[in-house]
Amino acid sequence: MEAGAPRTPLSPLERLRRFGEGHELLAIRTMLPWSFVGLVLGMAYLVAFVSRGPILVRLYGSFAPAFGAMSILLVVLLTWDLARRRGVPPAVALLVALPAFALSLPYRGATSALALARTVGSSGLFLAMIVAIGTVLVLRLARARFGARAGTALAAVGIIALAAAACVRGVSLAAGLAAVLAPLGGLGDTATALIVIVLIETLLWAIGIHGPAMLAAIVLPVYLDLQAQNTEALVHHLPLPHIVTVSLFLFVFPGGAGATLPLVLLLLRSRVKRVRRVAYASLVPAIFNANEPLMFGLPLILNPVLSLPYIVAPVVLAVVTYLAVAHGLVARPAFYMPSSVPTLVSVFLATKDWRACVLVVVNVLLAAAIYAPFVAAYERAELRREAAQA
């Protein structure tokens, strides 16, 4: 491009793609899954050394406060990774972010560390993201404006002083976030919200933007909080309050986003050798609900034939699943289960209901029926292409 020539304006798709590939979202996408280690370790510690009663009661009761450990690990991992991406010394950013995070917790009314962790809940994940991103951003701007040493010192003192002043005055960023997120929780437990989220995830993935990772920062903490409320209700022998929780998506996405497990099974019998190879390479990951080999190997991204069932099938499964759970045909998910656990196992453990396995089988068959005619059309097109090349 010649000097002084006007720049071509970016298309909305290109703007969305660049947003999805920004440093902040990439850091969240990379580090959020690792922070679940904190959830597991927190639950293990609480069950072994803090909680009392039968093992199941201790396990269920440890779920909500274990988010505190997950949030601490997330602020460490996210601050370190984002600082590295933004050219800020990670150790310096961490020395600022951790005190700021600690000073932002809702101490008012908390009688113990366990009560504080339970109060924070999954809103601590949002708090960790805000503190990590805000700390790195302020440090980066201050270093660029005032120099490395002076900028770092000014930013560090300013951030910690502001957090300390708010803490002394009883103002808690975590409590404010919990209040802001409360309406989101009510919106999230609806069929409409479920369908909208499923649509956004699959539409973005179909055009090459990692929809689940892009929405994780907003959607995951909300649905984890609803999941924790179900678990808490079970501990107290109360009816489970929520249908749409993070574990409900296990029914909607067998094989990963787009419900691609039945697609892989259909492609295993393809007459096109290349397609069969991709299907066999994708089979084991699909069992564990990872479909990146299929998305990029087939590819499914920007696929003119298979994109439509890729978007439609999960929406149908979302409607069927919501209706089945809402009418009591399948128990509401009481426990969080990672998506990497094979679907039949995970839905049973999440609900403790054998009918959940039946619903998953029905969903897989429904998705296979939706995919089948499009797979046949895609195979015909591939055979014609191979014949033309030969």
Side-chain angles (χ1 to χ4, degrees), residues 159-215:
I159 292 171
I160 295 176
L162 184 63
C167 183
V168 169
R169 296 176 65 88
V171 178
S172 167
L173 180 58
L177 279 172
V180 170
L181 294 177
L184 273 179
L187 175 64
D189 192 17
T190 64
T192 301
L194 174 64
I195 293 170
V196 168
I197 291 169
V198 169
L199 265 176
I200 292 174
E201 288 193 3
T202 51
L203 279 169
L204 290 176
W205 237 144
I207 60 176
I209 300 169
H210 201 305
M214 194 169 182
L215 292 180

Side-chain angles (χ1 to χ4, degrees), residues 13-321:
L13 177 60
E14 185 60 29
R15 291 179 186 274
L16 190 60
R17 191 187 303 277
R18 289 196 178 188
F19 176 73
E21 294 173 356
H23 290 298
E24 285 72 21
L25 281 180
L26 286 174
I28 291 172
R29 181 188 310 173
T30 304
M31 293 303 162
L32 187 58
W34 287 104
S35 67
F36 278 94
V37 174
L39 182 68
V40 174
L41 293 178
M43 290 183 68
Y45 174 80
L46 291 169
V47 168
F49 302 107
V50 178
S51 302
R52 297 290 182 267
I55 183 65
L56 287 179
V57 173
R58 283 186 283 165
L59 182 65
Y60 304 158
S62 67
F63 185 72
F67 278 112
M70 183 177 177
S71 302
I72 294 171
L73 183 57
L74 180 60
V75 75
V76 171
L77 295 175
L78 189 55
T79 301
W80 188 276
D81 188 65
L82 186 55
R84 180 181 57 81
R85 294 174 188 271
R86 287 297 191 182
V88 175
V92 173
L94 206 55
L95 288 174
V96 178
L98 282 175
F101 178 81
L103 290 168
S104 301
L105 296 177
Y107 294 102
R108 179 176 293 179
T111 57
S112 65
L114 182 62
L116 177 63
R118 192 181 299 277
T119 301
V120 172
S122 60
S123 64
L125 301 181
F126 276 115
L127 177 64
M129 293 176 196
I130 290 174
V131 169
I133 293 171
T135 297
V136 173
L137 176 62
V138 172
L139 282 170
R140 178 168 169 261
L141 293 176
R143 287 165 62 87
R145 178 67 177 84
F146 301 105
R149 290 188 177 179
T152 299
L154 285 172
V157 171
I159 292 171
I160 295 176
L162 184 63
C167 183
V168 169
R169 296 176 65 88
V171 178
S172 167
L173 180 58
L177 279 172
V180 170
L181 294 177
L184 273 179
L187 175 64
D189 192 17
T190 64
T192 301
L194 174 64
I195 293 170
V196 168
I197 291 169
V198 169
L199 265 176
I200 292 174
E201 288 193 3
T202 51
L203 279 169
L204 290 176
W205 237 144
I207 60 176
I209 300 169
H210 201 305
M214 194 169 182
L215 292 180
I218 300 171
V219 172
L220 187 60
V222 172
Y223 284 97
L224 279 171
D225 183 53
L226 300 184
Q227 189 70 72
Q229 291 177 34
N230 274 11
T231 307
E232 191 75 12
L234 187 73
V235 172
H236 295 93
H237 307 288
L238 298 173
L240 304 190
H242 301 294
I243 296 174
V244 184
T245 65
V246 69
S247 290
L248 194 77
F249 289 89
L250 300 171
F251 294 91
V252 179
F253 293 138
T260 49
L261 178 59
L263 175 60
V264 172
L265 297 176
L266 291 171
L267 295 177
L268 290 174
R269 302 184 62 185
S270 174
R271 293 175 290 166
V272 182
K273 186 177 181 180
R274 180 191 70 84
V275 173
R276 284 201 310 273
R277 284 202 303 265
V278 172
Y280 277 105
S282 305
L283 180 58
V284 173
I287 292 173
F288 293 91
N289 300 312
N291 61 0
E292 280 78 3
L294 189 68
M295 297 297 297
F296 296 102
L298 194 58
L300 267 176
I301 293 173
L302 298 176
N303 190 306
V305 179
L306 296 176
S307 291
L308 182 59
Y310 178 83
I311 295 168
V312 171
V315 174
V316 173
L317 301 193
V319 173
V320 170
T321 299

Side-chain angles (χ1 to χ4, degrees), residues 227 234 240 245 247-248 250-251 331-337 345-353 356:
Q227 189 70 72
L234 187 73
L240 304 190
T245 65
S247 290
L248 194 77
L250 300 171
F251 294 91
R332 300 184 178 194
F335 314 106
Y336 165 75
M337 288 300 300
V345 177
S346 62
V347 297
F348 175 75
L349 294 177
T351 61
K352 290 294 191 294
D353 185 356

